[in-house]
Amino acid sequence: MATDTEPKDFADIHPDRVTALNEKDIDQDGKYVLYWMQHSQRTEWNHALEYAVRMANSLDQGLVVGFGLMQDYPDGNERHFRFMLEGLLEVQEALLDRNIKFVLRFGDPAEVCLALGKDASLIVCDRGYLRFHREWRKKVAESAAVKVIRVESDLVVPVEVASDKQEYAARTIRKQLMEQYQEYLERPAHRSAQKSSKSFSIDKLNFTSVDALLDQMNIDRSVAPVEDFTGGTGEAKKRFRKFLKEELSDYDDYRSNPVEQRVSRMSPYLHFGQISPAYLLSELLDKRATDDRKSYLEELLVRRELTHNFVFYNDNYDNYNCLPDWARESLEKHADDDREKVYTRDELEAADTSDPYWNAAMRQIKQGGYLHNHMRMYWGKQIIRFTNTPRYAYQTALYLNNKYFIDGRDANSFANVAWLFGLHDQGWKERPVYGKVRIMTPGGLERKTDPEAFVDRVAE
Ligand SMILES: Cc1cc2nc3c(=O)[nH]c(=O)nc-3n(C[C@H](O)[C@H](O)[C@H](O)COP(=O)(O)OP(=O)(O)OC[C@H]3O[C@@H](n4cnc5c(N)ncnc54)[C@H](O)[C@@H]3O)c2cc1C
């Protein structure tokens, strides 16, 4: 909803993206407008940033962008932090080019925002979907002395516009999304801040190198960074352009082929808000309409936005109780069924099972932080038969997913792990262990793909 305080030149920021989170006033005597960056970690196609620039210009104030770097971020480790900081260094440089100071501080994001917000006339924030993201924004809105405006920028269609309830499956949300998305592909024009904040004296971390900052941080270093992915919007755009030019034309045929891997690998960049989904869709729609384009649209728009619908409307999104009743009942009925062999979590993490395909997938996740969708499905489904109860399987799948994937800890992570156990799916023929939940078998994998070739590609 639009607010009564905004300047008139907002035609390129859809009013549905903008929500006032409190009823406080703008403090005309504030020293600057604050954009508290959290989820949308980019300077291009960032509706929240562009909104904040325009507000600062209309108030004749400088704009400061603040970011709270939380060293104990849930399930965060060096792999995630390095990727994120690579992106933030790029953000800092791009903001300076636009006369905007970037203030990075260690601390709880909401606390950092509130501390910087003490001198602000207005706080603008972006939108996060997980429980703690929402709690941070609630706390800021309640505790700040000034108006707080949230601007959504990481979904194409804002979550409540797409649906006002938890959807059952892709088929129940597809029509709304397909009818609405064109309306939300507006590109927010870039403006520079008319009044520079670069010389403002504000305490901040000295952020000139990712390595130097990582060295100062007290974080979990048990998971090493990966070579295949470098963070940042520039890198994301380069990768996506290559995908559109060289790989999109085979996407529909090869999407389920883990050996060819003709996929975009945009998920880590989307997770850290380093690339905008609306930008990706706009670039995609510039291409000739084909089955490949249609198929990519289905993944990026329908499947991804369905997962955000799930975490937004289901309070149990991160635990077993989120599952549909039919799935839980059926899994519980088969909880005591004999398993061929049960493994401990350590054995699974060591990629030490009797299934060479599964072991290769697990090694790839640990080494590369990324796995092709079809192998993720196979990998996750086997955890159900490899563990002693469905509840434990669920916790183990989520634990491994969020620890090792660079795109882990995302709405996509929670919804897709839950999918392994029946979410957004239907009941199938009843079988041991899985009950009515869909199974995937080594034989099925062999029929559909070439898992031997996949194993050959993954180092021991
Ligand atoms: C067990 C399991 C765990 C998963 N864990 C994660 C996770 O932690 N983080 C994550 O981002 N994705 C997860 N996925 C979804 C999917 O596998 C990845 O998003 C995809 O493989 C990322 O690769 P890509 O960007 O090359 O995808 P592309 O095929 O190029 O697709 C483009 C984009 O569409 C979206 N997309 C593709 N497949 C799906 C899907 N099944 N559900 C929702 N959105 C999708 C993603 O945003 C993706 O970046 C998981 C899937 C499964 C089955």
Side-chain angles (χ1 to χ4, degrees):
M1 97 210 40
T3 68
D4 53 2
T5 48
E6 67 191 22
K8 299 272 179 276
D9 61 343
F10 276 61
D12 55 353
I13 297 178
H14 199 295
D16 289 348
R17 297 193 183 281
V18 182
T19 307
L21 293 186
N22 62 17
E23 299 198 334
K24 295 170 193 171
D25 293 325
I26 291 177
D27 178 0
Q28 304 287 341
D29 297 326
K31 293 186 184 149
Y32 48 75
V33 168
L34 174 67
Y35 165 33
W36 165 37
M37 179 181 278
Q38 191 268 315
H39 205 281
S40 309
Q41 299 172 22
R42 61 180 181 274
T43 59
E44 298 183 22
W45 283 72
N46 180 337
H47 301 80
L49 170 64
E50 300 308 335
Y51 186 95
V53 173
R54 287 163 210 204
M55 289 304 288
N57 289 347
S58 78
L59 291 165
D60 197 26
Q61 294 185 344
L63 174 67
V64 169
V65 175
F67 192 98
L69 185 53
M70 189 181 181
Q71 302 187 64
D72 56 351
Y73 191 96
D75 296 320
N77 56 51
E78 192 176 355
R79 175 170 291 179
H80 306 120
F81 279 110
R82 171 172 286 281
F83 187 87
M84 183 173 84
L85 290 177
E86 285 166 350
L88 287 179
L89 196 57
E90 193 182 314
V91 163
Q92 174 173 263
E93 282 159 19
L95 288 175
L96 283 176
D97 284 346
R98 291 168 74 180
N99 289 332
I100 302 167
K101 188 177 195 90
F102 182 61
V103 177
L104 185 65
R105 286 187 184 171
F106 287 136
D108 172 272
E111 295 293 345
V112 170
C113 169
L114 286 168
L116 289 169
K118 287 205 172 98
D119 286 328
S121 51
L122 163 74
I123 299 174
V124 177
C125 63
D126 46 40
R127 188 167 196 184
Y129 306 89
L130 302 185
R131 190 180 303 109
F132 54 95
H133 295 152
R134 286 181 264 150
E135 282 164 4
W136 287 336
R137 284 160 181 81
K138 188 161 175 277
K139 180 172 167 185
V140 166
E142 283 169 3
S143 309
V146 295
K147 188 181 257 312
V148 178
I149 296 178
R150 186 188 69 202
V151 185
E152 146 79 72
S153 197
D154 287 305
L155 288 181
V156 178
V157 183
V159 68
E160 308 87 343
V161 177
S163 172
D164 59 3
K165 59 178 186 309
Q166 184 185 339
E167 293 290 343
Y168 290 101
R171 73 187 143 73
T172 66
I173 200 173
R174 185 176 294 111
K175 189 163 175 284
Q176 295 98 290
L177 288 170
M178 295 306 266
E179 280 172 5
Q180 291 167 319
Y181 77 88
Q182 301 270 10
E183 193 188 329
Y184 294 94
L185 294 180
E186 81 281 13
R187 178 195 179 140
H190 281 205
R191 306 264 162 88
S192 282
Q194 284 159 9
K195 204 159 187 176
S196 174
S197 60
K198 288 198 284 193
S199 62
F200 288 8
S201 163
I202 305 175
D203 275 355
K204 65 186 205 41
L205 287 165
N206 181 19
F207 183 31
T208 50
S209 123
V210 170
D211 285 324
L213 188 58
L214 278 173
D215 282 348
Q216 284 180 49
M217 291 177 69
N218 181 17
I219 53 171
D220 173 4
R221 295 183 197 275
S222 63
V223 184
V226 291
E227 282 173 11
D228 281 354
F229 285 94
T230 305
T233 304
E235 191 65 30
K237 285 170 71 179
K238 201 163 82 189
R239 221 169 244 262
F240 194 63
R241 277 197 293 265
K242 182 173 181 295
F243 168 74
L244 289 182
K245 196 164 161 223
E246 297 172 13
E247 288 152 351
L248 176 66
S249 59
D250 288 326
Y251 185 74
D252 195 39
D253 283 345
Y254 284 102
R255 206 189 92 69
S256 297
N257 183 329
V259 183
E260 291 296 331
Q261 307 229 357
R262 297 176 81 81
V263 287
S264 70
R265 295 173 177 241
M266 282 298 107
S267 52
Y269 301 95
L270 286 162
H271 170 70
F272 286 97
Q274 295 176 355
I275 198 81
S276 140
Y279 160 79
L280 296 180
L281 274 198
S282 302
E283 293 291 300
L284 178 78
L285 296 177
D286 270 355
K287 300 282 159 198
R288 205 162 49 87
T290 56
D291 284 349
D292 301 297
R293 192 178 92 166
K294 200 168 146 208
S295 182
Y296 195 80
L297 185 68
E298 168 72 15
E299 298 307 326
L300 181 63
L301 180 70
V302 180
R303 302 286 164 169
R304 179 170 181 270
E305 305 217 348
L306 174 66
T307 72
H308 288 73
N309 166 279
F310 166 66
V311 298
F312 187 70
Y313 287 114
N314 192 316
D315 290 340
N316 285 316
Y317 69 80
D318 52 356
N319 70 69
Y320 186 77
N321 294 332
C322 72
L323 299 178
D325 291 345
W326 70 263
R328 239 177 323 142
E329 281 159 21
S330 189
L331 286 164
E332 292 305 324
K333 185 173 151 202
H334 291 271
D336 295 329
D337 288 359
D338 282 342
R339 275 97 170 131
E340 209 178 286
K341 172 107 174 65
V342 166
Y343 298 93
T344 63
R345 186 175 286 181
D346 285 349
E347 286 167 331
L348 291 176
E349 205 162 350
D352 188 15
T353 74
S354 56
D355 178 346
Y357 309 148
W358 194 90
N359 295 343
M362 189 68 236
R363 285 201 306 277
Q364 169 62 33
I365 295 170
K366 286 168 69 179
Q367 290 158 14
Y370 175 87
L371 191 67
H372 184 280
N373 183 61
H374 198 76
M375 282 310 284
R376 292 195 203 209
M377 287 158 55
Y378 178 78
W379 166 81
K381 285 284 184 187
Q382 307 319 303
I383 295 177
I384 301 177
R385 70 180 169 102
F386 285 162
T387 45
N388 59 347
T389 70
R391 247 173 223 280
Y392 191 63
Y394 188 97
Q395 289 160 9
T396 302
L398 199 54
Y399 162 81
L400 294 172
N401 191 100
N402 286 352
K403 179 170 177 180
Y404 290 109
F405 283 126
I406 309 193
D407 59 27
R409 312 167 302 154
D410 192 87
N412 264 2
S413 321
F414 295 105
N416 275 290
V417 166
W419 173 84
L420 300 169
F421 298 80
L423 179 78
H424 296 155
D425 204 356
Q426 64 187 54
W428 296 77
K429 184 172 171 237
E430 194 159 358
R431 309 204 184 237
V433 181
Y434 291 81
K436 292 181 184 161
V437 167
R438 181 197 294 259
I439 61 165
M440 284 178 78
T441 61
L445 196 64
E446 284 156 5
R447 277 194 301 281
K448 289 204 174 114
T449 74
D450 182 359
E452 297 287 353
F454 174 77
V455 174
D456 288 345
R457 284 174 57 136
V458 182
E460 277 298 330

